[in-house]
Amino acid sequence: MAAEILERFEVIEECYEFMLAYAAQGLASDKGSESGRQIREFLNRAVNALIGLPDHCAEAMRKGRPSFLAVLERDASDSLAAMELVLAQPSISSQLIDNLNASVHLRALLTDIFLLGEVLRAEQVATQAAGS
């Protein structure tokens, strides 16, 4: 279960990294370029990774439902709404993505998944050490 969560985290991080590069290109639209096609793919993958993420994290953590998961749930929901707004636009410019990158919701989500990623990796190490 933890491996699946970490994969979801990686998809979200990769999307953010691609968005940084896309924003720097100064494109007026996502039409007619390879990176324009890719921005929608990265955003769609991130949206799919966000759906149900807090519930999957709660299952993976197995120690009840830590209160931090409420923070993740809020930040994931807010980021999902922002990404869906961008995806609903007929044209995705670099400026639009730059504004999404600057969103406090997305930045909070990234911080959440960095923190939870470390917690999950530490739990995996502890479990492996106990088993040996």
Side-chain angles (χ1 to χ4, degrees):
M1 179 62 80
E4 179 191 339
I5 300 302
L6 293 172
E7 286 176 27
R8 287 173 178 248
F9 289 174
E10 189 171 319
V11 166
I12 295 164
E13 291 172 37
E14 286 173 352
C15 178
Y16 181 72
E17 289 170 5
F18 186 83
M19 289 191 312
L20 290 172
Y22 186 84
Q25 294 178 27
L27 300 172
S29 170
D30 58 322
K31 308 296 185 230
S33 71
E34 179 64 17
S35 60
R37 181 189 58 75
Q38 289 176 309
I39 191 65
R40 288 189 185 271
E41 288 177 11
F42 274 94
L43 285 167
N44 278 312
R45 287 183 60 221
V47 162
N48 289 332
L50 281 170
I51 294 172
L53 182 64
D55 293 332
H56 284 86
C57 286
E59 289 175 31
M61 296 183 84
R62 293 174 287 187
K63 294 179 184 170
R65 189 172 174 93
S67 59
F68 185 76
L69 291 178
V71 173
L72 175 64
E73 190 166 7
R74 182 187 63 237
D75 294 339
S77 176
D78 292 348
S79 295
L80 183 59
M83 288 180 180
E84 288 175 334
L85 173 67
V86 169
L87 281 167
Q89 302 313 302
S91 178
I92 300 177
S93 68
S94 290
Q95 183 63 45
L96 183 59
I97 293 299
D98 193 41
N99 290 329
L100 178 59
N101 288 340
S103 163
V104 295
H105 307 297
L106 187 58
R107 290 181 181 241
L109 173 69
L110 289 166
T111 303
D112 296 349
I113 66 175
F114 295 153
L115 178 60
L116 285 173
E118 289 303 314
V119 168
L120 289 171
R121 283 187 279 282
E123 285 182 358
Q124 284 179 327
V125 168
T127 301
Q128 290 171 353
S132 38

